[in-house]
Amino acid sequence: MNLSSFEFDKRTADALSALASGERLPHAVVIESHDDKTANEAAKALSMFAVCQKENKPCGKCPQCQKAFNKAHADIAYLKTTNKSKTYSIEQIRDVIRDVYIRPNEAECKIYIFEHADECMTTVVQNAFLKVLEEPPQDVSFILLCQNSRRLLTTILSRCTLLRLGTEAEPGSDVMGYAEAIVSGILSPREYDLLLAFRAIFDKEQSGEILSAVAMLLRDGLAVLSGAKAIRNHALGMKIAATLPKGVLIELIALTRDVQTKTKTNININLFATWLCGEYRRISWQR
């Protein structure tokens, strides 16, 4: 993916390139970032990639790219709230559902970008939006921007590719090795393999880093399932995608994110690790 028109850090550039590794975007992408500017720039880059008709996408020079860069493309809609409560309305979603079935004006696809989706999409609106996510037209992609993807319904996330941007530190080789063993244990039919790998978690000082790396590897599997490339471990990402359904993966990632902060509190690390190991097995058996 050609990102010469943007100033992304390497991690963000790699994540975007992995997402756009195929000929077209996934039909639905959730971009999670605490930096609204970065999230918007990432959405703009993906929309340029989608409409560009040159080989080195996005070229940044063709009329399609220039219109997308300036947010003036007829086939790229930036949805904004219009009511006093600053939430998306059912009427807006219904308009989108009607509009997706109209052929594009200039490009070969249509892009819909929802800003602050986690704050502005109520449960009722998300359920209405789910109808078009379940069976979207082939030439349509949705991009949902948010600061916290956990505020979105699981049914929404299960139909989207999650792209998390930010300053997540890269784990060391030893931490990544422990994380790879845990993920392999989750995939193994033998419970003992996971119990053995979980010995690393009993070191409270590095347990949080290991769990962060576990989440990264699980997201690799989710990326592969969505047609993108794994960023950190391609072979393991392929194995994850071949073993676990998307819904199970999302649940495992959410659990891992939720418990990371608990390792820094005054907990009994032995009991915590035993409980978490059981939760991983419970969720992963839902195959």
Side-chain angles (χ1 to χ4, degrees), residues 109-121:
C109 61
K110 299 175 80 170
I111 312 294
Y112 298 85
I113 300 171
F114 291 82
E115 299 180 352
H116 303 292
D118 54 337
E119 298 175 357
C120 301
M121 283 185 123

Side-chain angles (χ1 to χ4, degrees), residues 94-139:
R94 288 172 179 165
D95 287 343
V96 169
I97 293 174
R98 285 191 289 267
D99 191 65
V100 296
Y101 295 102
I102 300 174
R103 292 184 60 83
N105 292 282
E106 302 176 31
E108 296 180 354
C109 61
K110 299 175 80 170
I111 312 294
Y112 298 85
I113 300 171
F114 291 82
E115 299 180 352
H116 303 292
D118 54 337
E119 298 175 357
C120 301
M121 283 185 123
T122 64
T123 300
V124 173
V125 166
Q126 288 184 58
N127 280 320
F129 182 56
L130 187 61
K131 295 178 182 179
V132 74
L133 271 188
E134 289 174 337
E135 296 182 9
Q138 193 171 11
D139 58 354

Side-chain angles (χ1 to χ4, degrees), residues 30 32 118 146-153 157 162 164 257:
V30 172
E32 181 184 81
D118 54 337
C146 67
Q147 291 197 1
N148 187 351
S149 60
R150 282 174 286 182
R151 294 176 181 168
L152 298 173
L153 296 178
L157 287 175
L162 176 61
R164 183 173 287 106
R257 288 201 315 263

Side-chain angles (χ1 to χ4, degrees), residues 264-284:
K264 299 178 181 180
T265 62
N266 186 24
I267 61 169
N268 183 314
I269 193 66
N270 295 339
L271 292 176
F272 169 77
T274 302
W275 168 81
L276 182 57
C277 182
E279 284 297 287
Y280 276 144
R281 294 305 292 176
R282 178 186 65 79
I283 296 171
S284 63

Side-chain angles (χ1 to χ4, degrees), residues 72-88:
H73 199 292
D75 296 316
I76 302 174
Y78 284 82
L79 281 297
K80 297 183 182 294
T81 59
T82 57
N83 56 29
K84 292 182 180 180
S85 60
K86 295 187 177 180
T87 58
Y88 293 111

Side-chain angles (χ1 to χ4, degrees), residues 199-228:
R199 290 186 302 177
I201 297 294
F202 287 91
D203 182 350
K204 192 171 181 179
E205 294 299 319
Q206 64 178 3
S207 57
E209 293 180 64
I210 294 172
L211 290 175
S212 177
V214 168
M216 293 178 186
L217 293 171
L218 292 173
R219 289 200 295 268
D220 269 354
L222 194 59
V224 173
L225 269 177
S226 302

